[in-house]
Amino acid sequence: MRLTKKLISEVVSNAVGIEAVDIALYLKGKKDISELIIAKDMNISIQEARALLYKLYEAHLTSFERKRDKHKGWHISHWDFLDDNIHKLNLEQHQNKILLLRNRLDREQKNEFYMCGHACARVDFDKAVEVNFKCNECGALMNPVDNSRTIEVLSGKIQELESSIN
Ligand SMILES: [Zn+2]
């Protein structure tokens, strides 16, 4: 899979937050770049740059090496962007999404759901028995809900996600 802007934006905003997307896009393909240059190019303070770079580091998207500045005598970090880890993280994020959808699908397939005619709330069978099939909100009788469409939609989403990572 190509490392597109869209892919980087998605993965970084999920893993770190939307505030780190711009710097990640800037860093794409860069190695051994001084944080002073990063801050200057991004037009942000060195503290802001470091904060974002460390957030990316915690998500395994950057690595760094401290180097002593020969002229000024202080230490600055040089950063690498770990392009390959975007793909790894993307895969992980997809797998997590699939897992959540599978759990949801499983719940839909194993339970019967009930709802009143006003569609106040949808409850599972056990809960419906507990309240004698009377809606908690409006008191109307609750009937079984056909969830075949929900099951269909969930299955479709799972298939779509699975094919996108294979
Ligand atoms: Zn109701």
Side-chain angles (χ1 to χ4, degrees):
M1 204 189 278
R2 273 186 59 231
L3 195 58
T4 59
K5 276 187 173 186
K6 186 171 172 275
L7 183 64
I8 295 175
S9 305
E10 256 175 43
V11 171
V12 170
S13 52
N14 284 332
V16 182
I18 195 135
E19 72 276 11
V21 168
D22 283 347
I23 196 165
L25 291 174
Y26 164 82
L27 288 169
K28 178 194 167 187
K30 291 192 171 72
K31 300 280 174 220
D32 195 31
I33 182 166
S34 145
E35 56 196 7
L36 297 174
I37 293 171
I38 297 170
K40 188 169 168 274
D41 283 353
M42 295 288 302
N43 204 16
I44 54 179
S45 72
I46 183 86
Q47 288 81 7
E48 284 172 312
R50 275 183 187 150
L52 292 169
L53 289 161
Y54 280 113
K55 277 188 188 177
L56 290 167
Y57 174 76
E58 280 164 11
H60 309 289
L61 290 172
T62 54
S63 64
F64 66 93
E65 201 188 321
R66 276 204 186 87
K67 293 183 182 177
R68 207 176 148 83
D69 187 295
K70 283 178 201 118
H71 307 291
K72 298 188 178 102
W74 62 47
H75 287 88
I76 50 163
S77 295
H78 284 238
W79 296 80
D80 288 353
F81 190 62
L82 307 175
D83 297 59
D84 290 346
N85 285 357
I86 286 281
H87 294 295
K88 266 190 223 162
L89 264 180
N90 182 45
L91 196 65
E92 268 176 40
Q93 288 172 359
H94 269 74
Q95 280 162 345
N96 287 340
K97 256 188 229 166
I98 290 170
L99 200 68
L100 287 176
L101 286 168
R102 280 238 177 89
N103 289 341
R104 172 94 206 278
L105 178 63
D106 193 53
R107 201 172 104 83
E108 290 293 331
Q109 283 169 332
K110 285 185 179 153
N111 289 287
E112 205 168 56
F113 294 92
Y114 288 80
M115 199 161 69
C116 75
H118 303 109
C120 298
R122 202 173 80 129
V123 300
D124 63 21
F125 180 77
D126 290 344
K127 179 75 189 162
V129 170
E130 221 175 85
V131 296
N132 288 320
F133 297 91
K134 273 192 188 132
C135 175
N136 250 345
E137 306 277 321
C138 70
L141 188 70
M142 292 192 291
N143 291 306
V145 182
D146 176 14
N147 67 347
S148 55
R149 178 72 194 134
T150 307
I151 288 171
E152 210 177 286
V153 170
L154 286 170
S155 307
K157 272 191 194 156
I158 291 168
Q159 272 182 6
E160 199 183 297
L161 281 170
E162 276 175 341
S163 66
S164 79
I165 58 175
N166 287 325

